[in-house]
Amino acid sequence: MEMPTSRNMHVRSRGLDLRMDRRLQIVLVDDDEDDFLLLKDLLSQAGDGGEKTGFELDWLSTYEQGLRAFSDCRYDLYLVDYHLGAHNGLELLREAGVHGCPAPVIILTGHGSYETDLTAMQSGAMDYLEKGELTLPLLERSIRYAIERKQVEKKLEEPLHERTADLEELSEKTRAVDALQTAASSLCR
């Protein structure tokens, strides 16, 4: 089996073909512009020497902007800071779920804790990374794994949605048969 690399890994999110050999649209929701600049510099180093980076990073500085971005669901991946002014990244993650955006989310924090890490995972984050420990290999791997896990989730959900649709159709047909039986029995009286 061929191991995924930045050149051959293919994933699907939002119904689009996402390849690590094309620029992934990523947004950072973080109220600190310095963190954005550091992350942008780190991601610009991705690739093999002269290759273009595989990541296009945008920045949103508020919780409200992040919520709109989740509502629009136009990014392949969301990097969300844990501390967002009066709100936090977990609140944003929960609100994002309401909007139905299937793109993966990675929570970033300046000061991590085991409890917050667990809560982030339970809330649907694909990863929880401490900013002070970020390296390019760690961030690239986290992005790849997050997108791959979302792809697997989608593949697992497809048969469930198909079976649900089949059951709804069967239920509809059963109601129609019941209605016919009721009508037929009333005619026989």
Side-chain angles (χ1 to χ4, degrees), residues 49-63:
E51 284 187 16
K52 290 188 344 184
T53 178
F55 309 106
E56 180 69 35
L57 183 67
D58 289 339
W59 175 54
L60 302 172
S61 63
T62 67
Y63 176 90

Side-chain angles (χ1 to χ4, degrees), residues 75-187:
Y75 291 97
D76 300 321
L77 182 120
Y78 293 76
L79 299 171
V80 178
D81 186 27
Y82 179 77
H83 294 285
L84 292 170
H87 299 280
N88 70 49
L90 298 181
E91 292 172 47
L92 182 57
L93 181 58
R94 287 184 200 110
E95 281 292 316
V98 171
H99 293 287
C101 182
V105 177
I106 297 172
I107 298 289
L108 302 175
T109 186
H111 307 285
S113 73
Y114 180 74
E115 293 79 24
T116 306
D117 184 354
L118 286 178
T119 304
M121 296 296 120
Q122 292 166 351
S123 298
M126 293 290 113
D127 209 343
Y128 177 82
L129 302 173
E130 289 190 43
K131 293 177 187 177
E133 297 176 6
L134 279 182
T135 63
L136 182 58
L138 174 64
L139 186 56
E140 282 184 309
R141 182 175 59 241
S142 181
I143 290 169
R144 282 194 320 270
Y145 286 10
I147 291 174
E148 179 65 24
R149 280 193 301 268
K150 276 295 181 179
Q151 178 189 28
V152 169
E153 280 180 14
K154 185 176 180 180
K155 284 181 181 177
L156 290 173
E157 288 174 356
E158 285 173 2
L160 177 64
H161 293 302
E162 289 171 7
R163 294 302 147 249
T164 301
D166 291 345
L167 287 172
E168 288 171 358
E169 182 182 344
L170 183 59
S171 178
E172 213 173 277
K173 288 179 180 180
T174 301
R175 282 192 297 275
V177 167
D178 288 345
L180 286 173
Q181 286 177 338
T182 302
S185 69
S186 69
L187 287 174

